Amino acid sequence: MLLAAGLLILTACGSGTPGGTASRTDSSPPVPASGTTSPSAEATATPQKVLTDQELMALSSRVLEPHGGSVGDTAMARKSYTLMTQPPASASPSSILGPTEPAECNVFHRSWQHEALLDPSMGFALAEISNLGEHGVGMILFDARNAPREALVKADFDYSQELMVRCATFDQAIPSANGPRTFTIQLLPGPDIGDKAYVTKESFDGNGVGVGLRVLAGTVSLDMGSNTGAAITEEEALNLMSQIAQQFVEETKKQ
């Protein structure tokens, strides 16, 4: 299932040596700076409707299928979560993925957090975009949440610009079979999509191993991430993530 696949990819990131020749975290070109929509224009510029799981899954399918995406069964993912020991209300990024250093950077978690934090109060959809790259073995994990904007800001984007500057580079410990692995995460401005967007670039022992994109657009929160290296480059992954995010936001505004 998609939930398990996401967690397996996280473990693969922490296995010690990324597959193939991984690109350096500073090797890809800068991502365009994120724009912030003014409050007066927000009603027309960003999605405002709150969608159900089924509506969000259907919308995700329309956007992702042309890119080779496969949308998971949200109901099954939620059911699987009930078998875990920690309920969504009490879970936190540090409890699922390990603490950050500095601790205040915990809000800028690695991608795919939501696969372990299925909040029943929000609409949710998750997917995989597969068969990417020259050899068709690259993958991007995708999830979307939909809720009133205030709830999404508090849950996923509760940070100031000052905090983003202080957390431009931070470390996060990730559990693995051989003990915690420490990853360095670099924050960069995201593409000009929605209200807020930022990019994460992850490295291990100086080698780039993954990138992520997070976007807030009205009542939609998007989280995408990909391992990078031999299968797919950082630039390829970020270009596709940005394209998908833009298409998703545009489709959501039609609802």
Side-chain angles (χ1 to χ4, degrees):
M1 78 188 306
L2 290 172
L3 175 62
L7 296 177
L8 284 174
I9 286 186
L10 276 174
T11 304
C13 274
S15 60
T17 304
T21 303
S23 56
R24 299 287 298 181
T25 55
D26 57 358
S27 61
S28 58
V31 179
S34 171
T36 301
T37 304
S38 63
S40 61
E42 186 175 295
T44 56
T46 58
Q48 298 300 308
K49 184 179 178 181
V50 177
L51 307 176
T52 65
D53 285 355
Q54 292 299 322
E55 290 174 322
L56 206 54
M57 290 167 61
L59 190 154
S60 299
S61 291
R62 290 198 300 273
V63 173
L64 297 177
E65 283 181 357
H67 300 285
S70 175
V71 177
D73 185 337
T74 299
M76 184 63 69
R78 291 193 188 276
K79 183 177 179 180
S80 297
Y81 192 85
T82 64
L83 302 177
M84 299 181 182
T85 57
Q86 190 171 34
S90 62
S92 68
S94 60
S95 66
I96 300 298
L97 297 174
T100 62
E101 178 59 44
E104 65 177 350
C105 301
N106 201 47
V107 63
F108 303 107
H109 57 72
R110 283 168 54 94
S111 295
W112 319 313
Q113 174 192 352
H114 296 162
E115 295 187 9
L117 300 179
L118 303 182
D119 185 340
S121 71
M122 298 185 181
F124 183 80
L126 72 168
E128 295 174 356
I129 301 96
S130 304
N131 304 318
L132 302 176
E134 183 178 354
H135 302 290
V137 294
M139 177 186 293
I140 290 174
L141 297 183
F142 167 99
D143 73 46
R145 297 214 286 184
N146 190 262
R149 188 178 187 278
E150 296 76 11
L152 290 178
V153 170
K154 183 177 180 180
D156 298 340
F157 295 87
D158 190 15
Y159 62 87
S160 64
Q161 188 61 38
E162 291 76 15
L163 180 61
M164 191 168 188
V165 171
R166 293 200 301 272
C167 295
T169 302
F170 64 95
D171 292 335
Q172 183 157 34
I174 307 297
S176 73
N178 299 319
R181 302 277 185 173
T182 300
F183 287 76
T184 297
I185 301 180
Q186 180 186 9
L187 294 180
L188 295 173
D192 189 12
I193 301 172
D195 307 322
K196 283 188 174 183
Y198 67 84
V199 167
T200 59
K201 291 192 176 185
E202 303 152 14
S203 60
F204 182 77
D205 284 346
N207 294 313
V209 296
V211 292
L213 173 63
R214 305 207 62 198
V215 174
L216 171 67
T219 55
V220 172
S221 173
L222 301 178
D223 189 358
M224 287 176 274
S226 175
N227 290 347
T228 57
I232 184 172
T233 67
E234 289 180 349
E235 184 176 9
E236 289 171 329
L238 287 173
N239 284 343
L240 181 54
M241 290 178 195
S242 298
Q243 182 180 353
I244 289 172
Q246 184 66 60
Q247 292 173 350
F248 193 94
V249 171
E250 291 302 318
E251 281 295 315
T252 307
K253 287 189 289 187
K254 300 176 183 178
Q255 297 296 305

